[in-house]
Amino acid sequence: LFFLSGSTALIYQVIWQKLLFTAFGVDLQSTAIVVSTFMLGLGLGALLGGQFAEKYPNSQLLFFVFVEVGIGLFGFISYDVIRFVAESFFEYPLIVIAAVNFLLLLFPTLLMGATLPVLVSHLYKQSQNVGMSIGRLYFSNTCGAALGCFCGGFILLNFFSYSETLVIAAAINIAVAALAYLLRSEERRVGKECRSRWS
């Protein structure tokens, strides 16, 4: 699940960058705005996700479900939203464009960043090994990100438009959320059976 989640994150970054570059131009400043906004959102999301995982230890997988749904829903509308924002702020000063891009990408990148600490906490409950939990998830997510970057830039865009590629990525997020919900339901069922046996 985290492999697929990482794949969609990089697909989004590739397409969103291309859309914003089309509107505001490809230069050092545009690149810095997009990349720094992405990294800041991921960092803040990881911080908030870690706090949530610590405060609600029994709802981590459910939180992951809602996060993936949120990312997917934004993915579905992101093409139209980015195009609208780009057309509305095309002639504004650079500082305004930077602020608008930051606010535009803050929500989805916060959600993306929150997934790692939440899943680490969930996996730790099973393995009781923080290093192994982080290593396994980070490895899966990084491999997924590499695949998403390659597919988004070299394969999907050869066969689909920007909007269609974003819909594909969003559909993957929704599928990840559905699978995570089924996993949570199965874990709860097994937990109830174990408690009933011991009682």
Coordinates of all heavy atoms in Angstrom, one line a residue, residues 59-110:
S59 N -6.3 4.3 16.0 CA -7.0 4.8 14.8 C -6.0 5.1 13.7 O -6.3 5.8 12.7 CB -7.8 6.1 15.2 OG -8.7 5.8 16.2
Q60 N -4.8 4.5 13.8 CA -3.8 4.9 12.8 C -4.1 4.4 11.4 O -4.0 5.2 10.4 CB -2.4 4.3 13.2 CG -1.9 4.9 14.5 CD -0.9 4.1 15.3 OE1 -0.7 2.9 14.9 NE2 -0.3 4.6 16.3
L61 N -4.6 3.2 11.2 CA -4.9 2.7 9.9 C -6.1 3.4 9.3 O -6.2 3.7 8.1 CB -5.1 1.2 10.0 CG -4.9 0.4 8.6 CD1 -3.5 0.7 8.1 CD2 -5.0 -1.1 8.9
L62 N -7.1 3.7 10.2 CA -8.3 4.5 9.7 C -7.9 5.9 9.3 O -8.4 6.4 8.3 CB -9.3 4.5 10.8 CG -10.6 5.2 10.5 CD1 -11.3 4.4 9.3 CD2 -11.5 5.3 11.7
F63 N -6.9 6.5 10.0 CA -6.4 7.8 9.6 C -5.8 7.7 8.2 O -5.9 8.6 7.4 CB -5.4 8.3 10.6 CG -4.8 9.7 10.3 CD1 -5.6 10.8 10.4 CD2 -3.5 9.8 9.9 CE1 -5.0 12.1 10.2 CE2 -3.0 11.0 9.6 CZ -3.7 12.1 9.7
F64 N -5.0 6.7 8.0 CA -4.3 6.5 6.7 C -5.4 6.4 5.6 O -5.2 6.9 4.5 CB -3.5 5.2 6.8 CG -2.8 4.9 5.5 CD1 -1.7 5.6 5.0 CD2 -3.3 3.8 4.7 CE1 -1.1 5.3 3.8 CE2 -2.6 3.5 3.5 CZ -1.6 4.3 3.0
V65 N -6.5 5.7 5.9 CA -7.6 5.6 4.9 C -8.1 6.9 4.5 O -8.2 7.3 3.3 CB -8.7 4.7 5.5 CG1 -10.0 4.8 4.6 CG2 -8.3 3.2 5.6
F66 N -8.4 7.8 5.5 CA -8.9 9.1 5.2 C -7.9 10.0 4.5 O -8.3 10.8 3.6 CB -9.4 9.8 6.5 CG -10.7 9.3 7.1 CD1 -10.7 8.6 8.3 CD2 -11.8 9.4 6.3 CE1 -11.9 8.1 8.8 CE2 -13.1 8.9 6.8 CZ -13.1 8.3 8.0
V67 N -6.6 9.8 4.9 CA -5.6 10.6 4.2 C -5.5 10.2 2.7 O -5.4 11.1 1.8 CB -4.2 10.4 4.9 CG1 -3.1 10.8 4.0 CG2 -4.2 11.1 6.2
E68 N -5.5 8.9 2.4 CA -5.5 8.5 1.0 C -6.7 9.0 0.2 O -6.6 9.4 -0.9 CB -5.3 7.0 0.9 CG -4.0 6.5 1.3 CD -2.9 7.0 0.4 OE1 -3.0 6.9 -0.8 OE2 -1.8 7.3 0.9
V69 N -7.9 8.9 0.9 CA -9.1 9.4 0.2 C -8.9 10.9 -0.1 O -9.3 11.4 -1.2 CB -10.3 9.2 1.1 CG1 -11.5 9.9 0.5 CG2 -10.6 7.7 1.1
G70 N -8.4 11.7 0.9 CA -8.2 13.1 0.7 C -7.3 13.4 -0.4 O -7.5 14.3 -1.2
I71 N -6.2 12.7 -0.5 CA -5.2 12.9 -1.6 C -5.9 12.6 -2.9 O -5.7 13.3 -3.9 CB -4.0 12.0 -1.4 CG1 -3.2 12.4 -0.1 CG2 -3.0 12.1 -2.6 CD1 -2.1 11.4 0.3
G72 N -6.6 11.5 -3.0 CA -7.3 11.1 -4.2 C -8.3 12.1 -4.7 O -8.4 12.4 -5.8
L73 N -9.1 12.6 -3.7 CA -10.1 13.6 -4.1 C -9.5 14.9 -4.6 O -9.9 15.4 -5.6 CB -11.0 13.9 -2.9 CG -11.9 12.8 -2.4 CD1 -12.7 13.2 -1.2 CD2 -12.9 12.4 -3.5
F74 N -8.4 15.3 -4.0 CA -7.7 16.5 -4.5 C -7.1 16.2 -5.9 O -7.1 17.0 -6.8 CB -6.6 16.9 -3.6 CG -5.9 18.2 -4.0 CD1 -6.5 19.4 -3.7 CD2 -4.8 18.2 -4.8 CE1 -5.9 20.6 -4.1 CE2 -4.2 19.3 -5.2 CZ -4.7 20.6 -4.9
G75 N -6.6 14.9 -6.0 CA -6.0 14.6 -7.3 C -7.0 14.6 -8.5 O -6.7 15.1 -9.6
F76 N -8.3 14.3 -8.2 CA -9.3 14.3 -9.2 C -9.6 15.7 -9.7 O -9.9 15.9 -10.9 CB -10.6 13.7 -8.7 CG -10.7 12.2 -8.7 CD1 -10.9 11.5 -7.5 CD2 -10.5 11.5 -9.9 CE1 -10.9 10.1 -7.6 CE2 -10.5 10.1 -9.9 CZ -10.7 9.4 -8.8
I77 N -9.5 16.7 -8.8 CA -9.9 18.1 -9.1 C -8.7 18.9 -9.4 O -8.8 20.1 -9.8 CB -10.8 18.7 -8.0 CG1 -10.0 18.9 -6.7 CG2 -12.0 17.9 -7.8 CD1 -10.7 19.7 -5.7
S78 N -7.5 18.4 -9.1 CA -6.3 19.2 -9.1 C -6.0 19.9 -10.5 O -5.5 21.0 -10.6 CB -5.0 18.4 -8.7 OG -4.8 17.3 -9.6
Y79 N -6.3 19.2 -11.6 CA -6.0 19.7 -12.9 C -6.8 21.0 -13.1 O -6.2 22.1 -13.5 CB -6.4 18.7 -14.0 CG -6.1 19.3 -15.4 CD1 -4.9 19.2 -16.0 CD2 -7.2 19.8 -16.2 CE1 -4.6 19.7 -17.3 CE2 -7.0 20.3 -17.4 CZ -5.7 20.2 -18.0 OH -5.5 20.7 -19.2
D80 N -8.1 21.0 -12.9 CA -8.9 22.2 -13.0 C -8.5 23.3 -12.0 O -8.5 24.5 -12.4 CB -10.4 21.8 -12.9 CG -10.9 20.9 -14.0 OD1 -10.4 21.1 -15.1 OD2 -11.7 20.1 -13.7
V81 N -8.2 22.9 -10.8 CA -7.9 23.9 -9.8 C -6.6 24.6 -10.2 O -6.5 25.8 -10.1 CB -7.7 23.2 -8.4 CG1 -7.2 24.2 -7.4 CG2 -9.1 22.7 -7.9
I82 N -5.6 23.8 -10.5 CA -4.3 24.4 -10.9 C -4.4 25.3 -12.1 O -3.8 26.4 -12.2 CB -3.2 23.3 -11.1 CG1 -2.9 22.7 -9.7 CG2 -1.9 23.9 -11.7 CD1 -2.0 21.5 -9.8
R83 N -5.1 24.8 -13.1 CA -5.3 25.7 -14.3 C -6.0 27.0 -14.0 O -5.7 28.0 -14.5 CB -6.1 24.9 -15.4 CG -5.4 23.7 -16.0 CD -4.3 24.2 -16.9 NE -4.8 25.1 -18.0 CZ -5.2 24.7 -19.1 NH1 -5.1 23.4 -19.4 NH2 -5.6 25.5 -20.1
F84 N -7.1 26.9 -13.1 CA -7.8 28.1 -12.7 C -6.9 29.1 -12.0 O -6.9 30.3 -12.3 CB -9.0 27.7 -11.9 CG -9.7 28.9 -11.3 CD1 -10.5 29.7 -12.0 CD2 -9.5 29.3 -9.9 CE1 -11.2 30.8 -11.5 CE2 -10.1 30.4 -9.4 CZ -11.0 31.1 -10.2
V85 N -6.1 28.6 -11.0 CA -5.2 29.4 -10.3 C -4.1 30.0 -11.2 O -3.8 31.2 -11.1 CB -4.5 28.6 -9.1 CG1 -3.4 29.4 -8.5 CG2 -5.6 28.2 -8.1
A86 N -3.6 29.2 -12.1 CA -2.6 29.7 -13.0 C -3.1 30.8 -13.9 O -2.4 31.9 -14.1 CB -2.0 28.6 -13.8
E87 N -4.3 30.7 -14.4 CA -4.9 31.7 -15.3 C -5.2 33.0 -14.5 O -5.1 34.1 -15.0 CB -6.1 31.2 -15.9 CG -5.8 30.1 -17.0 CD -7.1 29.4 -17.5 OE1 -8.2 29.9 -17.1 OE2 -7.0 28.5 -18.3
S88 N -5.6 32.8 -13.2 CA -6.0 33.9 -12.4 C -4.8 34.8 -11.9 O -4.9 36.0 -11.7 CB -6.8 33.5 -11.2 OG -8.0 32.7 -11.6
F89 N -3.6 34.1 -11.7 CA -2.5 34.8 -11.0 C -1.3 34.9 -12.0 O -0.2 35.2 -11.5 CB -2.1 34.1 -9.8 CG -3.1 34.2 -8.7 CD1 -4.2 33.3 -8.5 CD2 -3.1 35.3 -7.8 CE1 -5.1 33.4 -7.5 CE2 -4.1 35.4 -6.8 CZ -5.1 34.4 -6.6
F90 N -1.5 34.7 -13.3 CA -0.4 34.7 -14.2 C 0.4 36.0 -14.2 O 1.6 36.0 -14.3 CB -0.9 34.4 -15.6 CG 0.1 34.5 -16.7 CD1 1.0 33.4 -16.8 CD2 0.2 35.6 -17.5 CE1 2.0 33.5 -17.7 CE2 1.2 35.6 -18.5 CZ 2.1 34.5 -18.6
E91 N -0.2 37.1 -14.1 CA 0.5 38.4 -14.2 C 0.8 39.0 -12.9 O 1.3 40.2 -12.8 CB -0.4 39.4 -15.0 CG -0.6 38.9 -16.5 CD -1.4 39.9 -17.3 OE1 -1.9 40.9 -16.7 OE2 -1.5 39.8 -18.5
Y92 N 0.7 38.3 -11.8 CA 1.0 38.8 -10.5 C 2.5 38.8 -10.2 O 3.2 38.0 -10.8 CB 0.2 38.1 -9.4 CG -1.2 38.5 -9.2 CD1 -2.2 38.3 -10.2 CD2 -1.6 39.2 -8.1 CE1 -3.5 38.7 -10.1 CE2 -3.0 39.6 -7.9 CZ -3.9 39.4 -8.9 OH -5.2 39.8 -8.8
P93 N 2.9 39.5 -9.2 CA 4.4 39.5 -8.8 C 4.8 38.1 -8.3 O 3.9 37.3 -7.9 CB 4.5 40.5 -7.7 CG 3.3 41.4 -7.9 CD 2.2 40.6 -8.4
L94 N 6.1 37.8 -8.4 CA 6.6 36.5 -8.0 C 6.2 36.1 -6.6 O 5.9 35.0 -6.3 CB 8.1 36.5 -8.1 CG 8.8 35.2 -7.8 CD1 8.4 34.1 -8.7 CD2 10.3 35.4 -7.9
I95 N 6.3 37.1 -5.6 CA 6.0 36.8 -4.2 C 4.5 36.3 -4.1 O 4.2 35.4 -3.3 CB 6.2 38.0 -3.3 CG1 6.0 37.6 -1.9 CG2 5.3 39.2 -3.7 CD1 7.0 36.6 -1.3
V96 N 3.6 36.9 -4.9 CA 2.2 36.4 -4.8 C 2.0 35.0 -5.4 O 1.3 34.2 -4.9 CB 1.3 37.4 -5.6 CG1 -0.1 36.9 -5.6 CG2 1.4 38.8 -4.9
I97 N 2.7 34.8 -6.6 CA 2.7 33.5 -7.2 C 3.2 32.4 -6.3 O 2.7 31.3 -6.1 CB 3.5 33.5 -8.5 CG1 2.8 34.4 -9.5 CG2 3.7 32.1 -9.1 CD1 3.6 34.6 -10.8
A98 N 4.3 32.7 -5.5 CA 4.9 31.8 -4.6 C 3.9 31.5 -3.5 O 3.7 30.3 -3.1 CB 6.2 32.3 -4.0
A99 N 3.2 32.5 -3.0 CA 2.3 32.3 -1.9 C 1.1 31.5 -2.3 O 0.6 30.6 -1.6 CB 1.8 33.6 -1.3
V100 N 0.6 31.8 -3.5 CA -0.5 31.0 -4.1 C -0.2 29.6 -4.3 O -1.0 28.6 -4.0 CB -1.0 31.7 -5.4 CG1 -2.0 30.8 -6.1 CG2 -1.6 33.0 -5.1
N101 N 1.0 29.3 -4.9 CA 1.4 27.9 -5.1 C 1.6 27.2 -3.8 O 1.2 26.0 -3.7 CB 2.7 27.9 -5.9 CG 2.5 28.2 -7.3 OD1 1.4 28.0 -7.9 ND2 3.5 28.7 -8.0
F102 N 2.1 27.9 -2.8 CA 2.3 27.3 -1.5 C 0.9 26.8 -0.9 O 0.7 25.7 -0.4 CB 3.0 28.2 -0.5 CG 3.0 27.8 0.9 CD1 3.9 26.8 1.3 CD2 2.1 28.3 1.8 CE1 3.9 26.3 2.6 CE2 2.2 27.9 3.2 CZ 3.1 26.9 3.5
L103 N 0.0 27.8 -0.9 CA -1.4 27.4 -0.4 C -2.1 26.4 -1.2 O -2.8 25.5 -0.7 CB -2.2 28.7 -0.3 CG -1.7 29.8 0.6 CD1 -2.6 31.1 0.5 CD2 -1.8 29.3 2.1
L104 N -1.8 26.4 -2.5 CA -2.5 25.4 -3.4 C -2.0 24.0 -3.1 O -2.8 23.1 -3.1 CB -2.2 25.8 -4.9 CG -2.7 24.9 -5.9 CD1 -4.3 24.9 -5.9 CD2 -2.2 25.3 -7.3
L105 N -0.7 23.8 -2.9 CA -0.1 22.5 -2.7 C 0.0 22.1 -1.3 O 0.4 20.9 -1.0 CB 1.2 22.4 -3.4 CG 1.2 22.6 -4.9 CD1 2.6 22.5 -5.5 CD2 0.3 21.7 -5.7
L106 N -0.3 23.0 -0.4 CA -0.1 22.7 1.1 C -1.0 21.5 1.5 O -0.5 20.6 2.2 CB -0.4 23.9 1.9 CG -0.2 23.7 3.4 CD1 1.3 23.4 3.7 CD2 -0.6 25.0 4.2
F107 N -2.3 21.5 1.2 CA -3.2 20.5 1.6 C -2.8 19.1 1.2 O -2.6 18.2 2.0 CB -4.6 20.8 1.2 CG -5.6 19.7 1.5 CD1 -6.0 19.5 2.8 CD2 -6.1 18.9 0.4 CE1 -6.9 18.5 3.0 CE2 -7.0 17.9 0.7 CZ -7.4 17.7 2.0
P108 N -2.6 18.9 -0.1 CA -2.2 17.5 -0.5 C -0.8 17.1 0.0 O -0.7 15.9 0.4 CB -2.2 17.5 -2.0 CG -2.0 19.0 -2.4 CD -2.7 19.7 -1.3
T109 N 0.1 18.0 0.1 CA 1.4 17.6 0.6 C 1.5 17.3 2.1 O 2.2 16.5 2.6 CB 2.5 18.6 0.2 OG1 2.1 19.9 0.7 CG2 2.7 18.7 -1.3
L110 N 0.6 18.0 2.8 CA 0.5 17.7 4.2 C 0.0 16.3 4.4 O 0.5 15.6 5.3 CB -0.5 18.7 4.9 CG 0.0 20.1 5.3 CD1 -1.1 21.0 5.8 CD2 1.1 20.0 6.4

